[in-house]
Amino acid sequence: KIFLIVSLGILGFLAYGNALSNTFVWDDQVFIVDNPVIRHVKFIPDFFTKRLSENSAWGRGFDSYYRPVFLLSFLFDYHLWGLQPFWFHLHNILLHIFCTILVFYFAKTFWDDWRFSYLSALLFCLHPIHTEAVTAVFNRMDILVSVLSLGAFLLFAEFIGSQKKDALFYFLSLILFGFALFAKELAAMLLPV
């Protein structure tokens, strides 16, 4: 089991590690490089009270978006590493690898077959459709919503499947679901699931 998980991490890093030498591209300029609100913790309350268009250098265009966790992740990176794109890209790659591991456990929840779970996670990890989400830092919101939603689902499944119905799993799944909603609106799909 550990070998399978480590191999997913290595393969994920091999697939996307070339992004580490990339600079900031496209909307990275707007939401990271030219964005004053990720440079000071005093703006954190604004992440939760203002729309994304008011929390970026972009201005109009993101009027209906509300994504405070997305901005918090950039604030975190900025305060650790400054404006060094290497670390922002590494953060995206590590999030993608973690998401891949969650896909492995997600598949294992439905099919009690390690091989099928591994192949599912491997397909997720290496599929080229994730290239833009992993290599363009701005698209971190897609990885964040995936990680948080899968985590919430797995914790909820653990709560439902356990004999003792440990309320901690239920409570943690609700917290992750809330963070997922704050990462990207797409997390609302978790309710019907």
Side-chain angles (χ1 to χ4, degrees), residues 99-129:
C99 192
T100 298
I101 294 166
L102 290 176
V103 167
F104 175 79
Y105 283 106
F106 179 82
K108 183 80 173 72
T109 300
F110 291 103
W111 299 276
D112 195 21
D113 182 345
W114 292 102
R115 289 170 293 185
F116 179 80
S117 300
Y118 181 77
L119 289 174
S120 299
L122 187 63
L123 178 63
F124 177 87
C125 182
L126 300 178
H127 200 286
I129 201 166

Side-chain angles (χ1 to χ4, degrees), residues 46-190:
D46 290 345
F47 297 175
F48 294 90
T49 59
K50 295 181 179 178
R51 292 173 291 194
L52 194 57
S53 60
E54 298 171 280
N55 283 314
S56 69
W58 189 281
R60 300 202 44 83
F62 290 96
D63 290 337
S64 61
Y65 291 0
Y66 180 73
R67 299 177 179 169
V69 169
F70 164 69
L71 291 172
L72 281 171
S73 74
F74 291 155
L75 180 118
F76 174 80
D77 283 350
Y78 178 81
H79 282 279
L80 286 178
W81 322 112
L83 286 175
Q84 297 177 38
F86 173 89
W87 299 104
F88 285 81
H89 287 291
L90 181 61
H91 191 164
N92 273 23
I93 292 167
L94 293 176
L95 278 172
H96 178 68
I97 290 168
F98 186 62
C99 192
T100 298
I101 294 166
L102 290 176
V103 167
F104 175 79
Y105 283 106
F106 179 82
K108 183 80 173 72
T109 300
F110 291 103
W111 299 276
D112 195 21
D113 182 345
W114 292 102
R115 289 170 293 185
F116 179 80
S117 300
Y118 181 77
L119 289 174
S120 299
L122 187 63
L123 178 63
F124 177 87
C125 182
L126 300 178
H127 200 286
I129 201 166
H130 300 295
T131 302
E132 188 175 352
V134 178
T135 59
V137 178
F138 167 78
N139 288 317
R140 181 179 296 170
M141 66 187 91
D142 294 325
I143 308 170
L144 283 170
V145 73
S146 299
V147 165
L148 294 167
S149 295
L150 281 169
F153 180 87
L154 289 170
L155 286 168
F156 186 74
E158 185 67 29
F159 167 74
I160 295 296
S162 70
Q163 298 270 335
K164 295 167 54 176
K165 300 289 187 231
D166 190 350
L168 179 64
F169 290 117
Y170 182 71
F171 180 69
L172 290 174
S173 73
L174 289 177
I175 289 173
L176 285 185
F177 174 62
F179 278 114
L181 283 173
F182 287 159
K184 191 172 181 180
E185 308 79 28
L186 183 65
M189 65 81 193
L190 196 56

